[in-house]
Amino acid sequence: MAGARAAIRYARAVLSLASDQKAADAVNNDMKLITDTIAGSKELSDALQSPVLPSSVKKSVLLEVFKTSNKATLNLIDTLMSNNRIGILSDVASKYNQLFDQSKGIELATVTTAVALTADLEKKVLAKAKELTGKNVEVENIVDESIIGGFILRIGDLQYNASVANQLSKLKREFTLN
């Protein structure tokens, strides 16, 4: 919990600094890259969490991997390193992306489907989500074959479950109650 609060604080500070420097968009792209890279590399993730690996090695690895990053992003890495908080870099990057989207009035809609969304279906989901929220919406598609068919749409606190698995579950409850 303390790590999550710290991640939000660092993310807010970087967003404020990047906005002042008119580099918020570039830093947002860096943060997406950091999140994807750490999530996609177990070795990097383990290295950042390792208490045995010296900070100097962690810093040199990060600076090599993210050498084309914005100055504000590199300063964040330095700050996290000097405060012995480099283990929360991925969380800070993720929180930054969320805060950046909120500042731009962009809402993230998560659509869980049994198969990947087609471009046409994604446009329809975007239109419906924009109609529901009144905000610009970015769609993230999660494929989960266990829902059998249909979809589950999540936008912030709202959830609309139109999955076949959910409908079958409702039918099962109705038959067992009678």
Side-chain angles (χ1 to χ4, degrees):
M1 187 68 175
R5 287 196 309 254
I8 291 172
R9 287 189 195 117
Y10 281 109
R12 282 190 185 133
V14 173
L15 179 60
S16 175
L17 177 68
S19 296
D20 290 347
Q21 296 174 350
K22 308 239 184 303
D25 289 322
V27 174
N28 187 50
N29 293 335
D30 291 346
M31 294 300 167
K32 285 180 182 176
L33 177 65
I34 288 170
T35 304
D36 294 344
T37 304
I38 293 173
S41 173
K42 182 167 175 27
E43 294 84 16
L44 181 58
S45 177
D46 290 347
L48 292 178
Q49 299 299 327
S50 173
V52 178
L53 200 61
S55 295
S56 59
V57 173
K58 292 178 187 179
K59 184 175 180 179
S60 64
V61 166
L62 288 172
L63 293 178
E64 182 61 32
V65 172
F66 303 113
K67 61 185 166 199
T68 60
S69 296
N70 186 286
K71 185 179 178 191
T73 304
L74 298 176
N75 286 340
L76 169 67
I77 292 171
D78 284 339
T79 303
L80 290 174
M81 206 47 86
S82 63
N83 293 339
N84 293 322
R85 292 292 200 131
I86 200 62
I88 65 169
L89 177 61
S90 181
D91 294 334
V92 173
S94 177
K95 295 295 181 192
Y96 180 94
N97 293 137
Q98 292 173 3
L99 292 171
F100 179 81
D101 287 346
Q102 285 176 0
S103 73
K104 297 291 183 186
I106 298 171
E107 191 81 36
L108 178 65
T110 306
V111 181
T112 306
T113 55
V115 294
L117 283 177
T118 63
D120 186 45
L121 199 53
E122 188 173 331
K123 286 180 188 175
K124 289 179 183 177
V125 170
L126 277 171
K128 187 64 175 174
K130 187 170 183 170
E131 178 186 319
L132 289 172
T133 63
K135 297 181 179 180
N136 289 330
V137 178
E138 224 174 71
V139 173
E140 175 187 1
N141 183 215
I142 298 172
V143 177
D144 180 4
E145 294 165 358
S146 70
I147 69 168
I148 304 171
F151 65 93
I152 302 170
L153 175 63
R154 284 188 191 95
I155 306 171
D157 294 342
L158 302 172
Q159 176 173 310
Y160 181 72
N161 192 338
S163 67
V164 173
N166 184 49
Q167 293 169 2
L168 289 172
S169 177
K170 284 181 185 177
L171 282 173
K172 182 178 178 184
R173 283 193 305 265
E174 283 182 29
F175 283 128
T176 57
L177 292 176
N178 293 332

